[in-house]
Amino acid sequence: MDTPEIIRKKRDGSTLTTEEVFDFIERFTRGDIPDYQCSALLMAIHFRGLDARETADLTEAMLRSGRTLDLAACRLPKVDKHSTGGVGDKTSLVVAPAAAAGGLLVPMISGRPLGHTGGTLDKVESIPGFKTRLTFEDFRRVLDTCGLALMGQTEEFAAADRKLYALRDVTATIESIPLIAASIMSKKLAEGIDGLVLDVKTGSGAFTPRLDDARELASRMVDIGAAYGKRVQALISDMSQPLGNAVGNALEVIEAVETLKGRGPRDLAELCRELTAHMFLVGEVVKSLEEGRAKFDSVIASGQALEKFADVVAEQGGNPRVLEEYSLLPSAEYQDNVAASEEGYIAGLEARAMGSASMALGAGRDRVDSSIDPAVGLIFEKKVGDPVRQGERICVVHSNDRSRVPRALQMIRAAISLSPDPVHPAPLLLEKVSKEDARGLKTWHA
Ligand code: URA
């Protein structure tokens, strides 16, 4: 097919045929369409969108670009969780082992950082030795042994998403509802799961900052899942401030491990509990959300979730001693404080800017092939709604390269707002989108 004609069609607002979508993705994955032509199509999609049929076709074309896990012979319910991307979002590192400890099989294919958001792969790779580039057979072995496995897209698995994800990151085409939906759902469907829980973020640090867009993204993904016979639940959660206290790879691993030990920050622990409870319900290992929450509490209190994480770290080549000795993780040489300029209440910690500040310190990549510094990042000692005195510390900046610090400090200061009056933070969990709201699935506030 004529590649410029496909680009032109979308640029001018026409609908692509199924054949055009399949042909484009197949040739791009094979290397027969150069990045510059694919970038042009991505930008056209960014502006013109894709309708539901085109989004479903794109998902299917991306799914077909790689192998699919066949887990039919495993008797455990196979349920995964995926987030649409946020700042300080380390929930996967808690939720996956907790869900596996509670009797689910969790085959988790994740991504690297996109834009200002962090990625699960870079976080776990800050554990010395941890490998996320696994072959199909290794992934299967870890999954059979631990009940969970973590890896990234490869030439074998989610091949089209691997290339598109990297290209979208550097061409300002991340924030597109159909592109996000197809990226996430093609990866998840390749995992051979029965069900999926989606954490769709909204607020300044999300790729869908407006609640209406988050709803639209959630329903597109739920619909795609339903078309493949999967049980999909989407929770819409707040991403107007960073999740938890830590932003940055090794710092987030420590916070996730603390949460697995029952000592995590309140917002992070609450979100992990809700996501895992929904996974248990989707996997039908519990009959109600109440029971799912109790199961989460029990695998945390008993240490089984932490043990699962230690197992997967060891199986994927990492050193499980880091879970007790945090000094074995990379740590930054310098720490700078950001303090309150006046007395008041924290009114805002603008998530997008905080994510960008962490990237500016070296936690993320400027280019696809650049390396990251796993030690750097931010620790928030105050969150939205907290009172502060003048000069009191709000944030600690962990760095190695002093030349990067002034810009990061400037970004962080500009992203903090104070109010003289008490402030009530936005609720963490906003809404739920699913095809089946029977069985008490709408009841998290109850
Ligand atoms: N996560 C993904 O896997 N893909 C996206 O496009 C955004 C978040």
mmCIF file of all heavy atoms in Angstrom, residues 239-283:
data_model
loop_
_atom_site.group_PDB
_atom_site.id
_atom_site.type_symbol
_atom_site.label_atom_id
_atom_site.label_comp_id
_atom_site.label_asym_id
_atom_site.label_seq_id
_atom_site.Cartn_x
_atom_site.Cartn_y
_atom_site.Cartn_z
ATOM 1 N N MET A 239 -3.953 12.079 39.816
ATOM 2 C CA MET A 239 -2.512 12.240 39.594
ATOM 3 C C MET A 239 -2.212 13.741 39.513
ATOM 4 O O MET A 239 -1.478 14.203 38.639
ATOM 5 C CB MET A 239 -2.134 11.470 38.319
ATOM 6 C CG MET A 239 -0.685 11.390 37.919
ATOM 7 S SD MET A 239 0.558 11.352 39.207
ATOM 8 C CE MET A 239 0.399 9.713 39.860
ATOM 9 N N SER A 240 -2.815 14.522 40.420
ATOM 10 C CA SER A 240 -2.507 15.955 40.401
ATOM 11 C C SER A 240 -1.266 16.244 41.239
ATOM 12 O O SER A 240 -0.607 17.264 41.058
ATOM 13 C CB SER A 240 -3.698 16.776 40.891
ATOM 14 O OG SER A 240 -4.079 16.358 42.165
ATOM 15 N N GLN A 241 -0.939 15.341 42.172
ATOM 16 C CA GLN A 241 0.324 15.424 42.914
ATOM 17 C C GLN A 241 0.983 14.046 42.819
ATOM 18 O O GLN A 241 0.311 13.058 42.523
ATOM 19 C CB GLN A 241 0.094 15.808 44.371
ATOM 20 C CG GLN A 241 -0.718 14.808 45.172
ATOM 21 C CD GLN A 241 -0.784 15.141 46.663
ATOM 22 O OE1 GLN A 241 0.142 15.720 47.234
ATOM 23 N NE2 GLN A 241 -1.877 14.768 47.302
ATOM 24 N N PRO A 242 2.309 13.942 43.067
ATOM 25 C CA PRO A 242 2.957 12.634 42.966
ATOM 26 C C PRO A 242 2.301 11.628 43.914
ATOM 27 O O PRO A 242 1.796 11.992 44.968
ATOM 28 C CB PRO A 242 4.402 12.925 43.395
ATOM 29 C CG PRO A 242 4.597 14.378 43.089
ATOM 30 C CD PRO A 242 3.266 15.017 43.355
ATOM 31 N N LEU A 243 2.323 10.358 43.517
ATOM 32 C CA LEU A 243 1.763 9.306 44.361
ATOM 33 C C LEU A 243 2.828 8.859 45.376
ATOM 34 O O LEU A 243 3.963 8.562 44.997
ATOM 35 C CB LEU A 243 1.339 8.131 43.475
ATOM 36 C CG LEU A 243 0.713 6.950 44.203
ATOM 37 C CD1 LEU A 243 -0.635 7.332 44.845
ATOM 38 C CD2 LEU A 243 0.501 5.777 43.251
ATOM 39 N N GLY A 244 2.453 8.804 46.634
ATOM 40 C CA GLY A 244 3.434 8.442 47.672
ATOM 41 C C GLY A 244 4.358 9.608 47.925
ATOM 42 O O GLY A 244 4.060 10.756 47.573
ATOM 43 N N ASN A 245 5.525 9.322 48.510
ATOM 44 C CA ASN A 245 6.475 10.396 48.821
ATOM 45 C C ASN A 245 7.692 10.398 47.898
ATOM 46 O O ASN A 245 8.385 11.401 47.815
ATOM 47 C CB ASN A 245 6.960 10.262 50.269
ATOM 48 C CG ASN A 245 5.796 10.329 51.250
ATOM 49 O OD1 ASN A 245 4.765 10.931 50.942
ATOM 50 N ND2 ASN A 245 5.948 9.716 52.414
ATOM 51 N N ALA A 246 7.973 9.267 47.254
ATOM 52 C CA ALA A 246 9.220 9.143 46.487
ATOM 53 C C ALA A 246 8.976 9.231 44.987
ATOM 54 O O ALA A 246 8.006 8.665 44.473
ATOM 55 C CB ALA A 246 9.880 7.813 46.812
ATOM 56 N N VAL A 247 9.862 9.933 44.299
ATOM 57 C CA VAL A 247 9.885 9.980 42.829
ATOM 58 C C VAL A 247 11.334 9.722 42.408
ATOM 59 O O VAL A 247 12.237 10.438 42.866
ATOM 60 C CB VAL A 247 9.430 11.361 42.290
ATOM 61 C CG1 VAL A 247 9.469 11.390 40.758
ATOM 62 C CG2 VAL A 247 8.040 11.732 42.785
ATOM 63 N N GLY A 248 11.572 8.732 41.579
ATOM 64 C CA GLY A 248 12.956 8.364 41.210
ATOM 65 C C GLY A 248 13.095 6.862 41.417
ATOM 66 O O GLY A 248 12.442 6.292 42.305
ATOM 67 N N ASN A 249 13.940 6.220 40.639
ATOM 68 C CA ASN A 249 13.889 4.755 40.537
ATOM 69 C C ASN A 249 14.181 3.990 41.823
ATOM 70 O O ASN A 249 13.309 3.309 42.358
ATOM 71 C CB ASN A 249 14.785 4.325 39.376
ATOM 72 C CG ASN A 249 14.250 4.888 38.067
ATOM 73 O OD1 ASN A 249 13.153 4.565 37.662
ATOM 74 N ND2 ASN A 249 14.998 5.781 37.432
ATOM 75 N N ALA A 250 15.419 4.105 42.346
ATOM 76 C CA ALA A 250 15.746 3.339 43.567
ATOM 77 C C ALA A 250 14.929 3.844 44.757
ATOM 78 O O ALA A 250 14.508 3.056 45.617
ATOM 79 C CB ALA A 250 17.248 3.442 43.861
ATOM 80 N N LEU A 251 14.692 5.145 44.801
ATOM 81 C CA LEU A 251 13.905 5.706 45.911
ATOM 82 C C LEU A 251 12.489 5.112 45.901
ATOM 83 O O LEU A 251 11.909 4.821 46.961
ATOM 84 C CB LEU A 251 13.823 7.238 45.792
ATOM 85 C CG LEU A 251 15.150 7.989 45.928
ATOM 86 C CD1 LEU A 251 14.963 9.476 45.585
ATOM 87 C CD2 LEU A 251 15.717 7.851 47.335
ATOM 88 N N GLU A 252 11.955 4.887 44.718
ATOM 89 C CA GLU A 252 10.605 4.311 44.623
ATOM 90 C C GLU A 252 10.598 2.828 44.976
ATOM 91 O O GLU A 252 9.623 2.315 45.516
ATOM 92 C CB GLU A 252 10.034 4.529 43.222
ATOM 93 C CG GLU A 252 9.688 5.984 42.974
ATOM 94 C CD GLU A 252 8.861 6.194 41.722
ATOM 95 O OE1 GLU A 252 7.890 5.464 41.508
ATOM 96 O OE2 GLU A 252 9.215 7.111 40.955
ATOM 97 N N VAL A 253 11.705 2.133 44.674
ATOM 98 C CA VAL A 253 11.789 0.721 45.068
ATOM 99 C C VAL A 253 11.737 0.625 46.595
ATOM 100 O O VAL A 253 10.994 -0.188 47.164
ATOM 101 C CB VAL A 253 13.076 0.051 44.511
ATOM 102 C CG1 VAL A 253 13.306 -1.311 45.156
ATOM 103 C CG2 VAL A 253 12.981 -0.089 43.005
ATOM 104 N N ILE A 254 12.469 1.492 47.271
ATOM 105 C CA ILE A 254 12.467 1.466 48.747
ATOM 106 C C ILE A 254 11.040 1.709 49.261
ATOM 107 O O ILE A 254 10.556 1.000 50.145
ATOM 108 C CB ILE A 254 13.450 2.520 49.325
ATOM 109 C CG1 ILE A 254 14.876 2.157 48.920
ATOM 110 C CG2 ILE A 254 13.311 2.630 50.842
ATOM 111 C CD1 ILE A 254 15.923 3.207 49.287
ATOM 112 N N GLU A 255 10.368 2.702 48.673
ATOM 113 C CA GLU A 255 9.017 3.014 49.145
ATOM 114 C C GLU A 255 8.043 1.855 48.871
ATOM 115 O O GLU A 255 7.167 1.554 49.701
ATOM 116 C CB GLU A 255 8.505 4.289 48.467
ATOM 117 C CG GLU A 255 7.232 4.797 49.107
ATOM 118 C CD GLU A 255 6.906 6.212 48.659
ATOM 119 O OE1 GLU A 255 6.216 6.368 47.643
ATOM 120 O OE2 GLU A 255 7.348 7.152 49.333
ATOM 121 N N ALA A 256 8.229 1.188 47.731
ATOM 122 C CA ALA A 256 7.359 0.034 47.426
ATOM 123 C C ALA A 256 7.617 -1.082 48.442
ATOM 124 O O ALA A 256 6.682 -1.717 48.932
ATOM 125 C CB ALA A 256 7.626 -0.453 46.003
ATOM 126 N N VAL A 257 8.890 -1.313 48.757
ATOM 127 C CA VAL A 257 9.214 -2.380 49.720
ATOM 128 C C VAL A 257 8.646 -2.028 51.099
ATOM 129 O O VAL A 257 8.081 -2.880 51.795
ATOM 130 C CB VAL A 257 10.748 -2.621 49.772
ATOM 131 C CG1 VAL A 257 11.112 -3.608 50.870
ATOM 132 C CG2 VAL A 257 11.245 -3.124 48.426
ATOM 133 N N GLU A 258 8.750 -0.766 51.479
ATOM 134 C CA GLU A 258 8.156 -0.333 52.755
ATOM 135 C C GLU A 258 6.644 -0.584 52.741
ATOM 136 O O GLU A 258 6.068 -0.975 53.747
ATOM 137 C CB GLU A 258 8.440 1.162 52.988
ATOM 138 C CG GLU A 258 9.870 1.444 53.425
ATOM 139 C CD GLU A 258 10.134 0.901 54.834
ATOM 140 O OE1 GLU A 258 9.538 1.409 55.792
ATOM 141 O OE2 GLU A 258 10.922 -0.053 54.958
ATOM 142 N N THR A 259 6.009 -0.375 51.606
ATOM 143 C CA THR A 259 4.556 -0.613 51.504
ATOM 144 C C THR A 259 4.261 -2.105 51.623
ATOM 145 O O THR A 259 3.291 -2.513 52.266
ATOM 146 C CB THR A 259 4.022 -0.021 50.176
ATOM 147 O OG1 THR A 259 4.450 1.349 50.091
ATOM 148 C CG2 THR A 259 2.509 -0.056 50.100
ATOM 149 N N LEU A 260 5.119 -2.918 51.025
ATOM 150 C CA LEU A 260 4.953 -4.372 51.172
ATOM 151 C C LEU A 260 5.140 -4.799 52.634
ATOM 152 O O LEU A 260 4.639 -5.836 53.056
ATOM 153 C CB LEU A 260 5.956 -5.108 50.276
ATOM 154 C CG LEU A 260 5.622 -5.135 48.779
ATOM 155 C CD1 LEU A 260 6.812 -5.581 47.943
ATOM 156 C CD2 LEU A 260 4.416 -6.043 48.503
ATOM 157 N N LYS A 261 5.888 -3.985 53.392
ATOM 158 C CA LYS A 261 6.090 -4.294 54.818
ATOM 159 C C LYS A 261 5.000 -3.659 55.687
ATOM 160 O O LYS A 261 5.080 -3.682 56.907
ATOM 161 C CB LYS A 261 7.458 -3.783 55.269
ATOM 162 C CG LYS A 261 8.621 -4.555 54.652
ATOM 163 C CD LYS A 261 9.968 -3.954 55.070
ATOM 164 C CE LYS A 261 11.093 -4.746 54.404
ATOM 165 N NZ LYS A 261 12.416 -4.096 54.602
ATOM 166 N N GLY A 262 4.015 -3.013 55.029
ATOM 167 C CA GLY A 262 2.911 -2.400 55.781
ATOM 168 C C GLY A 262 3.242 -1.026 56.321
ATOM 169 O O GLY A 262 2.521 -0.502 57.169
ATOM 170 N N ARG A 263 4.331 -0.414 55.799
ATOM 171 C CA ARG A 263 4.745 0.896 56.330
ATOM 172 C C ARG A 263 4.768 1.972 55.254
ATOM 173 O O ARG A 263 5.474 2.971 55.379
ATOM 174 C CB ARG A 263 6.153 0.777 56.933
ATOM 175 C CG ARG A 263 6.296 -0.322 57.976
ATOM 176 C CD ARG A 263 7.601 -0.202 58.738
ATOM 177 N NE ARG A 263 8.761 -0.452 57.909
ATOM 178 C CZ ARG A 263 9.656 -1.406 58.135
ATOM 179 N NH1 ARG A 263 9.519 -2.212 59.177
ATOM 180 N NH2 ARG A 263 10.694 -1.560 57.346
ATOM 181 N N GLY A 264 4.012 1.773 54.192
ATOM 182 C CA GLY A 264 4.048 2.729 53.073
ATOM 183 C C GLY A 264 3.237 3.968 53.358
ATOM 184 O O GLY A 264 2.408 3.993 54.269
ATOM 185 N N PRO A 265 3.426 5.029 52.559
ATOM 186 C CA PRO A 265 2.615 6.240 52.704
ATOM 187 C C PRO A 265 1.135 5.925 52.465
ATOM 188 O O PRO A 265 0.810 5.035 51.677
ATOM 189 C CB PRO A 265 3.152 7.184 51.634
ATOM 190 C CG PRO A 265 4.279 6.501 50.981
ATOM 191 C CD PRO A 265 4.373 5.107 51.451
ATOM 192 N N ARG A 266 0.272 6.684 53.122
ATOM 193 C CA ARG A 266 -1.154 6.366 53.142
ATOM 194 C C ARG A 266 -1.766 6.281 51.736
ATOM 195 O O ARG A 266 -2.479 5.344 51.405
ATOM 196 C CB ARG A 266 -1.875 7.428 53.980
ATOM 197 C CG ARG A 266 -3.268 7.057 54.401
ATOM 198 C CD ARG A 266 -3.991 8.239 55.013
ATOM 199 N NE ARG A 266 -3.773 9.484 54.252
ATOM 200 C CZ ARG A 266 -4.349 9.775 53.097
ATOM 201 N NH1 ARG A 266 -5.180 8.920 52.549
ATOM 202 N NH2 ARG A 266 -4.092 10.914 52.479
ATOM 203 N N ASP A 267 -1.482 7.293 50.893
ATOM 204 C CA ASP A 267 -2.121 7.299 49.559
ATOM 205 C C ASP A 267 -1.669 6.106 48.717
ATOM 206 O O ASP A 267 -2.474 5.427 48.079
ATOM 207 C CB ASP A 267 -1.877 8.642 48.836
ATOM 208 C CG ASP A 267 -0.411 8.992 48.623
ATOM 209 O OD1 ASP A 267 0.462 8.375 49.264
ATOM 210 O OD2 ASP A 267 -0.127 9.902 47.815
ATOM 211 N N LEU A 268 -0.385 5.820 48.749
ATOM 212 C CA LEU A 268 0.129 4.695 47.962
ATOM 213 C C LEU A 268 -0.476 3.381 48.464
ATOM 214 O O LEU A 268 -0.938 2.546 47.674
ATOM 215 C CB LEU A 268 1.662 4.662 48.053
ATOM 216 C CG LEU A 268 2.320 3.460 47.394
ATOM 217 C CD1 LEU A 268 2.062 3.441 45.899
ATOM 218 C CD2 LEU A 268 3.834 3.459 47.668
ATOM 219 N N ALA A 269 -0.462 3.210 49.795
ATOM 220 C CA ALA A 269 -0.989 1.965 50.366
ATOM 221 C C ALA A 269 -2.469 1.800 50.026
ATOM 222 O O ALA A 269 -2.919 0.709 49.669
ATOM 223 C CB ALA A 269 -0.773 1.958 51.878
ATOM 224 N N GLU A 270 -3.213 2.907 50.073
ATOM 225 C CA GLU A 270 -4.651 2.832 49.788
ATOM 226 C C GLU A 270 -4.896 2.435 48.327
ATOM 227 O O GLU A 270 -5.729 1.569 48.037
ATOM 228 C CB GLU A 270 -5.292 4.198 50.079
ATOM 229 C CG GLU A 270 -6.796 4.177 49.920
ATOM 230 C CD GLU A 270 -7.419 5.580 49.894
ATOM 231 O OE1 GLU A 270 -6.755 6.540 50.348
ATOM 232 O OE2 GLU A 270 -8.552 5.700 49.404
ATOM 233 N N LEU A 271 -4.143 3.058 47.418
ATOM 234 C CA LEU A 271 -4.349 2.736 45.999
ATOM 235 C C LEU A 271 -3.963 1.276 45.716
ATOM 236 O O LEU A 271 -4.672 0.560 45.000
ATOM 237 C CB LEU A 271 -3.552 3.706 45.109
ATOM 238 C CG LEU A 271 -3.776 3.554 43.605
ATOM 239 C CD1 LEU A 271 -5.255 3.669 43.228
ATOM 240 C CD2 LEU A 271 -2.984 4.592 42.822
ATOM 241 N N CYS A 272 -2.849 0.831 46.289
ATOM 242 C CA CYS A 272 -2.414 -0.569 46.080
ATOM 243 C C CYS A 272 -3.478 -1.530 46.602
ATOM 244 O O CYS A 272 -3.777 -2.551 45.975
ATOM 245 C CB CYS A 272 -1.090 -0.848 46.805
ATOM 246 S SG CYS A 272 0.291 0.036 46.084
ATOM 247 N N ARG A 273 -4.058 -1.187 47.739
ATOM 248 C CA ARG A 273 -5.079 -2.055 48.351
ATOM 249 C C ARG A 273 -6.313 -2.151 47.448
ATOM 250 O O ARG A 273 -6.848 -3.228 47.197
ATOM 251 C CB ARG A 273 -5.452 -1.459 49.709
ATOM 252 C CG ARG A 273 -6.372 -2.306 50.560
ATOM 253 C CD ARG A 273 -6.464 -1.636 51.923
ATOM 254 N NE ARG A 273 -7.187 -2.421 52.886
ATOM 255 C CZ ARG A 273 -8.389 -2.098 53.371
ATOM 256 N NH1 ARG A 273 -8.999 -1.008 52.942
ATOM 257 N NH2 ARG A 273 -8.958 -2.862 54.273
ATOM 258 N N GLU A 274 -6.748 -1.007 46.906
ATOM 259 C CA GLU A 274 -7.933 -1.010 46.043
ATOM 260 C C GLU A 274 -7.673 -1.760 44.735
ATOM 261 O O GLU A 274 -8.498 -2.534 44.278
ATOM 262 C CB GLU A 274 -8.380 0.428 45.725
ATOM 263 C CG GLU A 274 -9.030 1.130 46.874
ATOM 264 C CD GLU A 274 -10.208 0.360 47.485
ATOM 265 O OE1 GLU A 274 -11.035 -0.180 46.745
ATOM 266 O OE2 GLU A 274 -10.261 0.303 48.720
ATOM 267 N N LEU A 275 -6.509 -1.505 44.150
ATOM 268 C CA LEU A 275 -6.206 -2.171 42.872
ATOM 269 C C LEU A 275 -6.129 -3.680 43.067
ATOM 270 O O LEU A 275 -6.671 -4.457 42.275
ATOM 271 C CB LEU A 275 -4.884 -1.633 42.295
ATOM 272 C CG LEU A 275 -4.912 -0.172 41.794
ATOM 273 C CD1 LEU A 275 -3.492 0.341 41.546
ATOM 274 C CD2 LEU A 275 -5.744 -0.050 40.503
ATOM 275 N N THR A 276 -5.454 -4.099 44.142
ATOM 276 C CA THR A 276 -5.300 -5.546 44.366
ATOM 277 C C THR A 276 -6.649 -6.180 44.694
ATOM 278 O O THR A 276 -6.959 -7.273 44.211
ATOM 279 C CB THR A 276 -4.289 -5.817 45.504
ATOM 280 O OG1 THR A 276 -3.147 -4.988 45.313
ATOM 281 C CG2 THR A 276 -3.852 -7.265 45.524
ATOM 282 N N ALA A 277 -7.461 -5.479 45.497
ATOM 283 C CA ALA A 277 -8.791 -6.022 45.835
ATOM 284 C C ALA A 277 -9.609 -6.219 44.554
ATOM 285 O O ALA A 277 -10.298 -7.228 44.391
ATOM 286 C CB ALA A 277 -9.507 -5.084 46.797
ATOM 287 N N HIS A 278 -9.513 -5.274 43.630
ATOM 288 C CA HIS A 278 -10.229 -5.418 42.355
ATOM 289 C C HIS A 278 -9.660 -6.587 41.536
ATOM 290 O O HIS A 278 -10.400 -7.293 40.868
ATOM 291 C CB HIS A 278 -10.172 -4.111 41.560
ATOM 292 C CG HIS A 278 -11.177 -3.106 42.023
ATOM 293 N ND1 HIS A 278 -11.000 -2.341 43.141
ATOM 294 C CD2 HIS A 278 -12.400 -2.765 41.535
ATOM 295 C CE1 HIS A 278 -12.061 -1.559 43.322
ATOM 296 N NE2 HIS A 278 -12.912 -1.796 42.362
ATOM 297 N N MET A 279 -8.345 -6.775 41.594
ATOM 298 C CA MET A 279 -7.759 -7.917 40.869
ATOM 299 C C MET A 279 -8.300 -9.237 41.436
ATOM 300 O O MET A 279 -8.636 -10.159 40.689
ATOM 301 C CB MET A 279 -6.234 -7.897 40.968
ATOM 302 C CG MET A 279 -5.582 -6.782 40.176
ATOM 303 S SD MET A 279 -3.819 -6.679 40.504
ATOM 304 C CE MET A 279 -3.174 -8.032 39.512
ATOM 305 N N PHE A 280 -8.389 -9.316 42.763
ATOM 306 C CA PHE A 280 -8.914 -10.539 43.376
ATOM 307 C C PHE A 280 -10.360 -10.784 42.932
ATOM 308 O O PHE A 280 -10.744 -11.909 42.661
ATOM 309 C CB PHE A 280 -8.861 -10.437 44.915
ATOM 310 C CG PHE A 280 -7.467 -10.515 45.490
ATOM 311 C CD1 PHE A 280 -7.114 -9.771 46.621
ATOM 312 C CD2 PHE A 280 -6.509 -11.353 44.935
ATOM 313 C CE1 PHE A 280 -5.841 -9.844 47.167
ATOM 314 C CE2 PHE A 280 -5.221 -11.432 45.477
ATOM 315 C CZ PHE A 280 -4.894 -10.674 46.588
ATOM 316 N N LEU A 281 -11.120 -9.713 42.837
ATOM 317 C CA LEU A 281 -12.525 -9.855 42.452
ATOM 318 C C LEU A 281 -12.643 -10.256 40.979
ATOM 319 O O LEU A 281 -13.409 -11.156 40.627
ATOM 320 C CB LEU A 281 -13.245 -8.522 42.707
ATOM 321 C CG LEU A 281 -14.764 -8.570 42.744
ATOM 322 C CD1 LEU A 281 -15.278 -9.553 43.771
ATOM 323 C CD2 LEU A 281 -15.344 -7.192 43.035
ATOM 324 N N VAL A 282 -11.846 -9.594 40.143
ATOM 325 C CA VAL A 282 -11.849 -9.937 38.714
ATOM 326 C C VAL A 282 -11.421 -11.399 38.511
ATOM 327 O O VAL A 282 -11.954 -12.118 37.672
ATOM 328 C CB VAL A 282 -10.924 -8.957 37.943
ATOM 329 C CG1 VAL A 282 -10.566 -9.485 36.572
ATOM 330 C CG2 VAL A 282 -11.598 -7.592 37.816
ATOM 331 N N GLY A 283 -10.462 -11.848 39.334
ATOM 332 C CA GLY A 283 -9.964 -13.232 39.230
ATOM 333 C C GLY A 283 -10.849 -14.232 39.953
ATOM 334 O O GLY A 283 -10.557 -15.424 39.959
#
